[in-house]
Amino acid sequence: GEYAGSAINYGKGNSEENVNFSSASGFTVGLLADYRLYKNLYLMAGLNYSYLQYKNQQSGSYSDYTVSQTESYVQMGTLQYNFEESYNMHLIEVPLMLSYRFVLSKYGSLHINAGGYVNYGLSAKLKLSGSSEANGTNYIRLGDFISEPAGDFSKNMMYEADIDLYKKLHSYTTIGKSGDMGLENQYSFSFQKSPLKRFNYGLKFGATYELKGFQIGATYNLMLSNMANDDYFEGTRIPILLETGQNNMKGYKQKINSLEIKLGYVLRY
């Protein structure tokens, strides 16, 4: 597509919506067992729990924006917005790898590991918070006819949402800070597909140094599957400003590629 946005639709429909994921971090804990296949060649399998978190910032502005309208009036003007998306994910992973081991000393060895993994998403949440400031002109409305200007307006709004990225039904809340002081509205949307898929798979490869059972190593995870559901991301997504724009995100892909630093201890029998 022409741009790569997030699960939230800010209505631009262009590169102004490109995501910039930052502050990515997490950890993995798990158990691993190995089996000698032939001499220095081993098969390794395990069960891991992983936690990931990352953020995305979005800000921008509109001109000639319809802020609100009823049967009796229309409010049009400029809108400036600023949002923060905070993501956290909990995953169960099953790795399966081959490991070749070079004996370096009586107690030390170097392991070269490569293989694959499948994972299952236990939870994927998006916490959205943001604000908008609108300024413009009130117009009296008589049917399809809009009158001359009838005074100015100013509105500040706050936005809040807790979105489950594995579900199809989503909602968010707006709270007026000025103009519509204290007025609270909730908007709900239903989709045929959830934003993300629970099952994913990929490749793992890395190296580990072992000394008397203690291990230190690094593993790179390369996701091959697409976490994103095409039907969701190529559709309207969640229109936070009630503007859907032209969605040009055909072929959208979202993957998690990560580098893990591993510390562990192996019990040998």
Side-chain angles (χ1 to χ4, degrees):
E2 295 182 11
Y3 68 102
S6 74
I8 306 300
N9 189 342
Y10 296 94
K12 290 291 188 177
N14 57 36
S15 60
E16 290 183 54
E17 281 196 58
N18 280 344
V19 295
N20 182 24
F21 292 133
S22 62
S23 302
S25 62
F27 64 86
T28 298
V29 295
L31 297 172
L32 188 69
D34 59 18
Y35 176 77
R36 176 178 281 176
L37 296 176
Y38 179 75
K39 293 186 178 180
N40 291 4
L41 183 64
Y42 290 75
L43 178 67
M44 299 193 305
L47 182 66
N48 298 327
Y49 162 78
S50 296
Y51 171 77
L52 303 170
Q53 63 178 13
Y54 51 96
K55 293 184 178 182
N56 180 46
Q57 299 274 353
Q58 282 287 342
S59 60
S61 62
Y62 280 96
S63 58
D64 299 324
Y65 182 81
T66 301
V67 177
S68 65
Q69 58 181 318
T70 67
E71 292 181 354
S72 58
Y73 75 88
V74 176
Q75 293 182 321
M76 297 183 65
T78 61
L79 179 82
Q80 292 183 321
Y81 61 87
N82 185 55
F83 286 87
E84 180 178 272
E85 303 169 6
S86 297
Y87 297 81
N88 67 75
M89 302 184 70
H90 301 263
L91 307 167
I92 291 293
E93 177 191 88
V94 177
L96 184 65
M97 294 187 290
L98 290 174
S99 176
Y100 191 85
R101 302 178 180 181
F102 298 90
V103 178
L104 304 180
S105 67
K106 182 178 180 180
Y107 299 108
S109 59
L110 177 65
H111 308 175
I112 304 300
N113 312 314
Y117 71 88
V118 293
N119 66 28
Y120 176 78
L122 299 174
S123 171
K125 298 294 180 66
L126 161 58
K127 184 175 181 61
L128 180 71
S129 61
S131 62
S132 68
E133 179 180 348
N135 296 282
T137 304
N138 294 303
Y139 296 89
I140 303 299
R141 185 174 190 173
L142 299 172
D144 294 331
F145 176 75
I146 299 177
S147 74
E148 294 297 317
D152 297 331
F153 74 90
S154 178
K155 285 185 176 181
N156 293 326
M157 302 294 292
M158 293 178 60
Y159 301 77
E160 298 176 350
D162 288 298
I163 297 167
D164 188 332
L165 297 170
Y166 292 141
K167 291 189 176 180
K168 302 175 185 178
L169 180 64
H170 307 286
S171 65
Y172 67 85
T173 301
T174 63
I175 304 171
K177 294 194 297 183
S178 66
D180 289 329
M181 181 66 75
L183 180 64
E184 184 171 317
N185 291 300
Q186 187 171 67
Y187 301 89
S188 297
F189 304 89
S190 180
F191 301 91
Q192 300 230 335
K193 295 283 187 179
S194 61
L196 298 184
K197 303 171 186 174
R198 286 188 185 270
F199 283 99
N200 289 282
Y201 59 89
L203 299 176
K204 297 173 77 76
F205 46 89
T208 300
Y209 176 71
E210 181 178 331
L211 180 64
K212 293 184 178 181
F214 291 95
Q215 291 188 342
I216 182 170
T219 300
Y220 187 75
N221 300 307
L222 178 65
M223 185 174 283
L224 299 179
S225 60
N226 182 11
M227 293 169 53
N229 269 315
D230 293 343
D231 289 350
Y232 177 85
F233 281 91
E234 293 178 10
T236 60
R237 297 173 287 147
I238 301 172
I240 193 67
L241 299 171
L242 300 180
E243 291 281 342
T244 57
Q246 182 179 358
N247 203 341
N248 299 312
M249 287 177 57
K250 189 172 181 61
Y252 178 84
K253 290 181 173 57
Q254 184 173 340
K255 302 181 179 184
I256 296 177
N257 299 326
S258 62
L259 177 65
E260 296 175 349
I261 304 300
K262 180 178 75 173
L263 297 174
Y265 183 77
V266 178
L267 296 173
R268 300 289 183 195
Y269 295 95

